[in-house]
Amino acid sequence: MTDQQPAIRLTGLAKEFGAVTAVDHVDLEIAAGEFFSMLGPSGSGKTTVLRLIAGFEQPTAGTIELFGQDVTKKAPFDRDVNTVFQDYALFPHMSVLDNVAYGLRVRGIKRTERRDRAMAALAAVKLEQMAARKPSQLSGGQRQRVALARATVVQPKVLLLDEPLGALDLKLREQMQVELKQIQRDLGITFIFVTHDQEEALTLSDRVAVFNNGRIEQLGTPRDLYERPASRFVADFVGTSNLFDHERSDALMGRAGEHSIRPEKLTLSSAAASGAGERSAPGTLVESIYVGSGIRRVVDLDAGVRVTVLEPNDRSRAGDDDRGDRVHVVWHDGDVVALLPPGA
């Protein structure tokens, strides 16, 4: 974090719904101009935190500051934030231009100025040529960009995005991830993005908070979370990991505690490891799965644990004709990650 005033500061933020604690005393700072993602499974608290920042819910405890100003008790329309929802909520009877200009009209901006600002917002998302169309005449990706233009035209300090790509098909979602990141850079607005899709969070974010049971399990850059997950939950939820309990960690690695290794950090060999800092374990190859860019190998180690090895799709190994072969799974000590126990 820099010395600049954070865009959002949450202090002891909590929200209870009856006997259910949805958000459990969260402390968090989000920098100005940051693309920040809140990642977690359903019920982890991420969406509730977003709604608390937006003012759609009132916290049971704690405070919310926007650029140093306490907005905890302020109504949504008195907070300099805007929200993009998954369903976009465009007005079907209005043109694209009128949809984008609606927030300016509500604020009493004169017709000429709001038209100019709405056209500029559409240009920022490369849709100015669609200004006269109705939402029903647009593709899903185009409607998503109109929703972004409508949310940003009022120049909020913070833009909240509640799984805005969730309704798109895979190919379009991947395309929109690139465009969304570019739009955020161009506008320089703080984006707070909620998703349950770990690949999406890693692709888009400057930093990510992984939520679990109403708390932040780990906070860091995408590389931090992927390369050095702090807990078993993060290692298992963010990407794919091979997890080793206390007994297997001790037997295979000579280490106490629980550990993880990413599949791409493992290799297969016909012989035991011999290099400096390397270890290996014998096992039987039970499955080879072609995944396009790579081949996923499933190996049952003699030590009683099943691991996944992700190999690049190149000419270094045969295809799928080696099930049942005896192999050695090889790894480097430096790629083993120690995991904190639950609640640590």
Side-chain angles (χ1 to χ4, degrees), residues 30 49 51 144 150 204 222 231 329:
I30 300 172
V49 170
R51 291 179 61 81
Q144 196 262 4
R150 185 179 62 180
L204 289 170
S231 67
V329 176

Side-chain angles (χ1 to χ4, degrees), residues 176-193:
M176 286 307 305
Q177 287 170 4
V178 176
E179 294 191 15
L180 190 61
K181 182 65 177 176
Q182 187 61 55
I183 290 168
Q184 190 266 340
R185 283 175 176 158
D186 291 344
L187 295 175
I189 296 173
T190 304
F191 275 28
I192 303 178
F193 188 89

Side-chain angles (χ1 to χ4, degrees), residues 202 221-229 238-240 262-264:
L202 297 182
T221 66
R223 183 177 293 274
D224 290 338
L225 297 178
Y226 189 83
E227 299 288 348
R228 296 292 165 192
V238 181
T240 302
R262 295 292 186 186
E264 66 273 16

